Amino acid sequence: LKAGKQVFVEKPLCLTEAELAEIDAAMAETSGSLMVGFNRRFAPAAVDMKKWLDAAPGAKVMSYQVCAGVLAADHWYADPAQGGRIIGEACHMLDFACFMLGRPVRVSAQKTGAASVSAQVEFADGSTFQLISSAEGDSAFPKESIRVFANGLVAECENFMRLTVWKSRRAKVSKHASKGHAEEMAAWLAFLKDGKPHPLPDAQARQSMRLTFAVIRAIRENRTIDLT
C-alpha cells in the first residue's frame, strides 16, 4: 500500500486490532487500493438472497450455522498466534452478516470447548444475527446453513448451492454452484482493468474485521461490546 500498489489479501485482513490500525494509516496515504477475500458476499446465492431481503422492509432475523468440523491439535486454525478459528474462519460469516444487514452496533459471544462459538450481533436497523460455529456434530451435515426471517418472507440457503425463498405461501428454489470465488475475482479485475467501482470498499472490509475482533473481546471479557 505504501508503494501505491493494488493489494489483494485473502481473509482475514489482519490478525490484531493493532495491525488494523497500521493498515488504516497506510490506506490514508496510499494511491493504491485494498481488496479482501470475503468471497461469500459475491456468491450468486448470496446476491440473490440480498435482492429478496432488500425488497422486504424492516428489520430481519438471521441465523448462520457452521458445522466446522474437528481440528487436529496441530492445525493452523487451532493456533491463536495465527488467528484461531474465529479470526481465520468466522470472519467470513460476520462479513456476510454485514453485507446482508448493514452496520453492526453491538455484539455478545460465548465459547464452548476449544473450538465452538456462538455470537449474537445487533445491527443499526434493529436486525439481529446469530452465528453458531461448532466443531461438534457430524461431517455429513451441511457445512453452512443460513436462515433469514423478514417481512413476508423466509429465506434459507444451504452451502450456497441451494436457495429457497418462501413468500406468498409458495417456495421458490434456485440452485447455484459457487461460493463466490470466481465472481469475486471478476469483480476485482473489473475494478482494476475497466474502472468499475471497487467491489468491496475498505470501510466495509474494516467494519467486518472490527466486528470479528469485537467477538473475540466479548468472549475474553465476558461482556457485551458496543461498536458505535
Side-chain angles (χ1 to χ4, degrees):
L1 287 171
K2 290 179 179 177
K5 301 295 185 180
Q6 317 300 324
V7 180
F8 180 91
V9 182
E10 185 49 85
K11 62 83 191 169
L13 171 58
C14 53
L15 299 182
T16 67
E17 292 180 278
E19 290 178 352
L20 186 58
E22 289 184 45
I23 294 168
D24 286 345
M27 284 297 298
E29 300 177 358
T30 187
S31 59
S33 68
L34 178 64
M35 176 69 181
V36 183
F38 288 132
N39 58 279
R40 280 162 178 76
R41 62 165 60 210
F42 295 94
V47 174
D48 195 8
M49 178 188 284
K50 184 168 173 59
K51 290 178 181 177
W52 283 99
L53 296 183
D54 286 349
K60 282 81 177 173
V61 177
M62 176 183 290
S63 64
Y64 198 135
Q65 290 88 43
V66 184
C67 187
V70 178
L71 288 178
D74 60 349
H75 193 286
W76 70 270
Y77 263 150
D79 181 5
Q82 297 190 63
R85 205 158 196 174
I86 295 175
I87 295 175
E89 185 174 41
C91 64
H92 257 321
M93 294 77 205
L94 295 166
D95 175 73
F96 182 86
C98 292
F99 173 61
M100 290 291 177
L101 303 176
R103 180 170 62 88
V105 296
R106 193 169 294 108
V107 61
S108 60
Q110 300 79 36
K111 192 171 183 181
T112 303
S116 296
V117 62
S118 62
Q120 300 75 43
V121 185
E122 180 182 342
F123 285 80
D125 70 346
S127 294
T128 60
F129 171 80
Q130 181 185 46
L131 170 65
I132 298 176
S133 179
S134 179
E136 306 298 332
D138 185 89
S139 60
F141 190 79
K143 182 182 178 183
E144 297 175 54
S145 305
I146 305 161
R147 185 171 291 166
V148 191
F149 294 86
N151 188 349
L153 68 85
V154 178
E156 187 174 56
C157 184
E158 183 177 295
N159 281 337
F160 294 92
M161 302 291 115
R162 179 185 176 94
L163 174 66
T164 306
V165 177
W166 286 267
K167 184 176 175 62
S168 301
R169 302 180 65 83
R170 294 184 178 181
K172 176 180 174 59
V173 179
S174 57
K175 295 182 179 180
H176 306 275
S178 170
K179 283 192 174 181
H181 296 90
E183 292 80 4
E184 170 190 61
M185 288 291 105
W188 189 48
L189 288 173
F191 162 74
L192 295 175
K193 298 172 65 176
D194 303 326
K196 300 292 185 180
H198 196 290
L200 179 53
D202 175 64
Q204 294 184 30
R206 185 183 189 280
Q207 174 177 262
S208 298
M209 290 310 305
R210 284 190 67 226
L211 176 56
T212 303
F213 293 133
V215 169
I216 298 288
R217 288 179 57 204
I219 293 171
R220 183 184 301 132
E221 300 174 14
N222 191 30
R223 68 183 182 92
T224 299
I225 303 296
D226 288 326
L227 292 163
T228 54

